Amino acid sequence: MAALPDFAHQTSAQPAAGRTPVGAGAGGAPSAPPAPKREQILRGAREVFLASGYDGASMGEIARVAGVSKGTLYVYFTSKEDLFAALVTEECSRTAEACFELDPDAPTEAALRALASRYIEAMLEPAHIRTVRMVIGVAEKLPAIGRAYLEAGQEAGVLRLSGWLRAKMAQGDLAIADVEMAAWQFVLGCQGKLIMPMVFGDPSRPDEAATAQVVNHMVGSFLAAFAGPRLAPYAPAGSAAASADSPSR
């Protein structure tokens, strides 16, 4: 069975001094560090799901690999479903925090480009692709796992991005009638062309040129649709109509 992603090495980007990133609140606040024993169990569970898949994994084997008793394991997780959902949730949450740490004072176009690049790179990780496939495989039988993945991943990212977009609207950079829908448009647009083929079996990873094409298209079309008074009329960076040193972008 393919590996679950291990984002334990990732940390959210730190905001510049005096600046507070947008996105606090449900799905947006940084997660508290997990208890050492719980983290130990999750590491063991990741290893077992790697070797055996969801259906082949057992709580006894997870306890053995994690180096805890079955009694201790059940203190933290009531079932294999509960444990797998927790593993998916924590790793998706870490990815959302790393990708969607957005500074409301950063130039709008540059921030959107950086976000799109970070998000696409994270979604293209082979371990992430395999996790998506695993979640899809069990979601019909265990819909709570599918819901946990969606809430901790895309929905958390959309919530964070929506908060940042509202801050940019207040600054006059953007004018959006439906902020949440626009955030979904951006998030799904970034992953559609590149990530979906890999989820459904294409083994080839897109190259840098393909990623750059998607980033350029998504940011350009997004700002062309939603540029506010400070940015309108919008022209992509580098074009003759764009100001190379515009502070509002």
Side-chain angles (χ1 to χ4, degrees), residues 55-232:
D55 288 334
S58 70
M59 293 293 271
E61 180 66 5
I62 290 170
R64 186 190 69 79
V65 172
V68 300
S69 69
K70 285 186 71 174
T72 298
L73 178 59
Y74 280 105
V75 166
Y76 286 88
F77 303 100
T78 60
S79 66
K80 184 172 71 171
E81 178 183 352
D82 180 35
L83 174 52
F84 185 68
L87 181 60
V88 168
T89 295
E90 291 211 2
E91 296 191 347
C92 286
S93 295
R94 288 176 179 174
T95 304
E97 289 174 15
C99 290
F100 291 88
E101 191 76 31
L102 295 164
D103 180 358
D105 295 326
T108 299
E109 180 175 350
L112 286 172
R113 287 183 177 278
L115 167 60
S117 297
R118 287 194 305 270
Y119 186 67
I120 290 171
E121 184 66 23
M123 296 300 100
L124 285 175
E125 284 294 320
H128 172 78
I129 297 296
R130 294 164 186 155
T131 299
V132 173
R133 292 174 180 160
M134 190 188 303
V135 170
I136 291 172
V138 302
E140 183 174 359
K141 180 173 65 175
L142 302 170
I145 290 176
R147 169 45 52 187
Y149 173 84
L150 187 61
E151 287 180 351
Q154 283 91 342
E155 289 185 358
V158 164
L159 181 63
R160 286 169 170 263
L161 178 55
S162 295
W164 182 83
L165 294 175
R166 290 187 179 94
K168 286 300 181 181
M169 290 170 63
Q171 295 170 10
D173 281 10
L174 300 174
I176 306 173
D178 189 329
V179 174
E180 183 179 356
M181 187 64 72
W184 274 110
Q185 176 184 336
F186 190 84
V187 168
L188 294 179
C190 284
Q191 62 179 289
K193 181 180 180 181
L194 302 180
I195 287 85
M196 295 308 291
M198 294 184 68
V199 168
F200 290 101
D202 187 341
S204 58
R205 180 187 174 95
D207 58 19
E208 291 183 6
T211 299
Q213 181 186 34
V214 170
V215 171
N216 290 337
H217 175 79
M218 284 309 305
V219 173
S221 61
F222 190 86
L223 290 179
F226 300 121
R230 288 213 307 172
L231 294 185

